[in-house]
Structures are given as structure tokens and as C-alpha cells.
């Protein structure tokens, strides 16, 4: 492990002293590819999948999972206790939480699992302070709360982002629109649909050669960076929405609070005084992108007490049937839908119909 860390340190040092210009772009691209490969070895050591265990991972429950990530003593445990009523040990000293503490809240009809993760420290992605286990659990979350202390500088935000990025987590980003198709022959071909400011054919060849890819078709539909191309080649990146929760606002001035409100994806709160938690929960719902579907048994009123919760990318009638029970899709004839996804109330639809939030569905089975 130490040799991998030494190699990473050497490459980072070389990148730091290399001037960034057109002449060095190929060399820097090659170094970035080598760095990504070494980081992958660090995450999943050769000869095994690497353990995330030691009491860190928790069985998934509910419709979505939110992980609290942050430095020690920023108020993650207080926030979990306030939101979910689950006791997570709180004290004035650092590293009070030594394992993952789960909680669950019901919000707008959806069950949402909350995970209070142990505090991470600088160098977590390299294994310091059990950081790799903590970040491995964060990779399984639908949304990440990066909990920051409003009294401490926002450089903490940059450090945590850097640690999560090093572990293959991309915050508030979408997968890059890059197509990579390996071939048996023909060398490397590059097609672009927009002008490229950083990538060209020699640089693409240089990056792919590090992965021993000599025949491939690359299509760039965005103005891509070398890092984005490496992400596509690696193929193990996780794209997770993130909210920056700035805690302890009771200890700062109104002027400072006004500045904090300008930070993108940020919600200032006081977990201790329960200030602004409604705003946090509303933003959480918005970032989770969930869709509630109500069921209607034949001849009865819709059941508004227990919606079926679907993700925004999996909200077809077939997904709805599978969420209820696998056997329903096999016996499916058609569905009657009331709501904003249809023109007529009700409207007869098939398995591929896409549902909207708060639609009402009645399934009609084959006789």
C-alpha cells in the first residue's frame, strides 16, 4: 500500500511542477491517467475486492439513502438526532462517532434512510482515519450531505470534495457525454460534435495508451477535459447529488449568513436550535428527484397514505408494477392513470407510459 501512496505522491509532485500549456498537455494527460489507475488500485487492492465492512456499511432500507459526510465535530450526530430522533453519541471532543449510525425519516410519504458516517480527515481517500471505509459507504448513497462548520473556513469544503473526488465520487455532476467503443483494428479515431479546447487526437491516444487501448472509436459531444475522458475509460465513477449543510449559524453574524447563502447547493442551519431544517428537508426532496404514485383498487378511492415511490429515471408503468410485486407485470393487461402524465382522466396506458409525481394508477390484469 505504501508503494502505491509513494507513486501517487511522486506523480502529484510532478504534475504540480509541470507548467500547463499546449506543449505539456499530452504529458499531463498521461500523468492524470496513471494517477487514476493508482487510485483505482488503492480503492480495490489486487487479489480482492477490498472491505468496506467493520460495521461501517448498513443494510439499505426505504426509498432513498442520504449520507452525512464531514470533518469530526461539525454536528452530524446532532443533525441525525434532530431529524430522525435516533440517538447518535454527541460530545464536545472529536471522533465521537466511530461507526455508521442509521436513522429513518418519513417525508412526503417517502421513507428516507439517513446515515451518520464517522468524521473523515485529510488523506481519507488514501486510507487515513478509516477514510476509505467511510467514503465507500458514501458511494452507496442517493444524496450526500456535506456537513460543514459555519465558523470554520470553507477550505474544509474543498478538502472534502477533493477526498470524495479521489474516491471516484462526482458531486452535482452528470456523466460526461463521451462515447468510447473499443474495436479490434483501425487504431484510435476521434469524432467531435463541438469545438474542443483541451482534447485532440494525440492527447486522446496518449491517455488511451496508458490503458493499453490501441483500437477504439471516441465521440466527444461536449467540450471535454482529460479528466472526463479518464472517468469514462475508468467506468467506475459514481455521480451523486450533494447539499452543503452549513451548521452552527447561531454562532455567526447576519452579514456572514448572507454571504453563506450565496454558495451554490448550500443550506445554512443550526441543528442544535432546529433552525431552517424545513428548508433543508425541502431541498433534500428536490435533489433526491423522487416520484410518488398512488394506487387505486378497482371500485375504491385512491390510497393517499402510502405512495409507491419511484426514482425519476425509473417511472414507467412497468417499474411501478415491479415495485409492487414482480408477478404483476406478467399478468398486466393495461393501466388506468389519473394525473398530469395523461390528457384524459382517466386514460388507458401500456407498460411503457411514463408517470409524473402524484399520479394515481389502477392496474387491470389479464383474466
Amino acid at each position: 500500500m505504501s508503494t502505491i501512496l509513494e507513486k501517487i505522491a511522486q506523480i502529484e509532485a510532478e504534475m504540480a511542477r509541470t507548467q500547463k500549456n499546449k506543449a505539456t498537455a499530452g504529458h499531463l494527460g498521461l500523468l492524470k491517467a496513471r494517477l487514476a489507475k493508482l487510485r483505482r488500485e488503492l480503492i480495490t487492492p489486487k487479489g480482492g475486492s477490498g472491505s468496506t465492512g467493520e460495521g461501517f456499511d448498513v443494510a439499505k432500507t426505504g426509498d432513498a439513502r442520504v449520507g452525512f459526510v464531514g470533518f469530526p465535530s461539525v454536528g452530524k450526530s446532532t443533525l441525525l438526532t434532530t431529524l430522525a430522533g435516533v440517538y447518535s453519541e454527541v460530545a464536545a471532543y472529536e471522533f465521537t462517532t466511530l461507526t455508521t449510525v442509521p436513522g429513518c425519516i418519513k417525508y412526503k410519504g417517502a421513507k428516507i434512510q439517513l446515515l451518520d458516517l464517522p468524521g473523515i480527515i485529510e488523506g481519507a481517500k488514501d486510507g487515513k482515519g478509516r477514510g476509505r471505509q467511510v467514503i465507500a459507504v458514501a458511494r452507496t448513497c442517493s444524496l450526500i450531505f456535506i456537513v460543514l462548520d459555519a465558523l470554520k473556513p470553507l477550505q474544509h469544503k474543498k478538502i472534502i470534495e477533493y477526498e470524495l473526488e479521489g474516491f471516484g465520487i462526482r458531486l452535482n455532476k452528470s456523466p460526461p457525454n463521451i462515447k468510447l467503443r473499443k474495436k479490434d483494428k483501425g487504431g484510435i479515431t476521434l469524432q467531435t460534435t463541438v469545438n474542443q479546447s483541451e482534447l485532440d487526437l494525440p492527447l486522446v491516444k496518449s491517455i488511451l495508451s496508458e490503458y493499453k487501448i490501441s483500437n477504439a472509436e471516441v465521440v466527444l459531444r461536449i467540450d471535454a477535459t482529460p479528466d472526463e475522458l479518464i472517468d469514462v475509460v475508468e467506468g467506475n465513477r459514481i455521480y451523486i447529488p450533494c447539499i452543503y449543510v452549513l451548521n452552527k449559524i447561531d454562532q455567526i453574524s447576519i452579514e456572514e449568513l448572507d454571504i453563506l447563502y450565496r454558495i451554490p447547493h448550500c443550506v445554512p442551519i443550526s441543528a442544535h436550535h432546529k433552525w431552517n431544517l424545513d428548508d433543508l428537508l425541502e431541498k433534500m426532496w428536490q435533489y433526491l428527484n423522487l416520484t410518488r404514485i398512488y394506487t387505486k383498487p378497482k371500485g375504491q378511492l385512491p390510497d393517499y397514505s402510502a405512495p409507491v415511490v419511484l426514482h425519476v429515471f425509473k417511472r414507467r408503468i412497468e417499474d411501478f408494477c415491479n415495485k409492487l410485486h414482480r408477478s404483476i407485470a406478467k399478468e398486466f393487461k393495461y393501466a388506468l392513470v389519473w394525473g398530469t402524465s395523461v390528457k384524459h382522466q382517466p386514460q388507458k396506458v401500456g407498460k411503457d407510459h411514463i408517470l409524473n409525481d402524484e399520479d394515481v394508477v389502477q392496474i387491470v390484469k389479464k383474466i
Side-chain angles (χ1 to χ4, degrees):
M1 190 68 74
S2 59
T3 55
I4 294 175
L5 290 174
E6 284 165 13
K7 286 177 186 173
I8 286 172
Q10 285 167 8
I11 291 172
E12 284 180 336
E14 191 176 342
M15 285 172 70
R17 62 173 176 263
T18 304
Q19 277 191 326
K20 194 176 178 182
N21 54 48
K22 199 77 178 169
T24 61
H27 179 59
L28 282 169
L30 199 64
L31 291 176
K32 284 178 176 179
R34 284 179 189 162
L35 196 60
K37 282 173 71 180
L38 288 168
R39 291 219 184 284
R40 191 198 328 135
E41 280 184 50
L42 204 61
I43 297 166
T44 53
K46 287 175 184 174
S49 59
S51 64
T52 61
E54 297 182 50
F56 279 70
D57 206 0
V58 173
K60 271 192 176 183
T61 62
D63 302 303
R65 171 183 264 198
V66 178
F68 297 5
V69 176
F71 279 92
S73 292
V74 291
K76 299 188 301 297
S77 299
T78 307
L79 182 58
L80 179 74
T81 306
T82 306
L83 289 177
V86 173
Y87 179 71
S88 183
E89 192 176 341
V90 178
Y93 52 86
E94 296 192 341
F95 296 105
T96 320
T97 305
L98 297 173
T99 186
T100 302
V101 180
C104 191
I105 59 168
K106 200 165 184 181
Y107 189 71
K108 294 192 177 183
K111 286 179 184 171
I112 297 161
Q113 185 182 38
L114 306 177
L115 297 181
D116 175 17
L117 298 170
I120 66 170
I121 58 172
E122 201 167 351
K125 67 185 183 309
D126 302 327
K128 289 184 184 175
R130 283 179 164 184
R132 278 172 51 216
Q133 294 98 318
V134 173
I135 301 175
V137 178
R139 277 176 69 97
T140 69
C141 294
S142 323
L143 170 68
I144 290 174
F145 281 178
I146 291 184
V147 187
L148 300 163
D149 189 333
L151 285 168
K152 294 183 179 175
L154 288 176
Q155 91 189 62
H156 280 188
K157 172 177 174 281
K158 283 188 178 177
I159 293 168
I160 292 170
E161 285 172 341
Y162 180 68
E163 297 301 326
L164 295 177
E165 285 262 331
F167 216 77
I169 295 173
R170 301 291 176 260
L171 301 171
N172 293 327
K173 290 179 183 174
S174 300
N177 197 348
I178 298 173
K179 182 188 168 191
L180 174 71
R181 187 172 66 85
K182 293 178 188 175
K183 302 185 294 186
D184 296 326
K185 56 185 179 180
I188 304 292
T189 60
L190 177 64
Q191 293 178 40
T192 60
T193 58
V194 294
N195 291 330
Q196 299 296 312
S197 57
E198 292 189 49
L199 287 177
D200 54 20
L201 186 57
L203 180 49
V204 169
K205 282 182 175 178
S206 173
I207 290 168
L208 294 183
S209 70
E210 184 61 30
Y211 289 92
K212 297 183 172 55
I213 299 172
S214 50
N215 299 294
E217 179 191 359
V218 180
V219 182
L220 305 176
R221 295 190 179 94
I222 55 165
D223 183 8
T225 64
D227 291 309
E228 286 172 327
L229 177 60
I230 290 165
D231 282 353
V232 171
V233 178
E234 284 283 334
N236 63 349
R237 304 310 192 216
I238 304 284
Y239 296 85
I240 305 177
C242 166
I243 295 172
Y244 301 97
V245 183
L246 289 164
N247 191 24
K248 305 182 184 178
I249 58 167
D250 51 303
Q251 299 175 33
I252 62 172
S253 67
I254 295 291
E255 291 76 20
E256 288 170 314
L257 182 60
D258 189 45
I259 293 165
L260 294 181
Y261 256 112
R262 296 174 198 170
I263 301 165
H265 314 290
C266 156
V267 180
I269 65 153
S270 169
H272 180 69
H273 292 287
K274 303 181 183 179
W275 292 351
N276 211 29
L277 296 185
D278 289 347
D279 195 9
L280 176 62
L281 290 172
E282 190 54 47
K283 204 165 190 105
M284 174 193 76
W285 180 259
Q286 183 190 329
Y287 278 50
L288 283 172
N289 237 339
L290 299 175
T291 303
R292 295 158 295 174
I293 309 299
Y294 301 110
T295 55
K296 183 189 180 304
K298 189 177 179 182
Q300 295 178 38
L301 290 169
D303 179 9
Y304 292 111
S305 62
V308 175
V309 179
L310 304 174
H311 193 273
V312 73
F313 298 120
K314 284 189 175 182
R315 53 191 173 102
R316 294 178 308 146
I317 286 286
E318 190 172 2
D319 299 315
F320 170 76
C321 291
N322 289 334
K323 189 81 186 268
L324 289 171
H325 198 278
R326 293 277 174 191
S327 64
I328 294 175
K330 293 173 188 172
E331 300 166 6
F332 179 88
K333 187 177 180 184
Y334 63 87
L336 292 171
V337 177
W338 292 258
T340 57
S341 71
V342 290
K343 288 181 181 175
H344 310 291
Q345 310 293 330
Q347 186 170 317
K348 191 190 284 189
V349 299
K351 280 186 185 178
D352 291 329
H353 177 75
I354 294 172
L355 297 161
N356 286 349
D357 190 34
E358 297 200 276
D359 277 358
V360 174
V361 176
Q362 180 184 320
I363 301 293
V364 178
K365 295 181 183 179
K366 294 173 187 169
I367 298 169

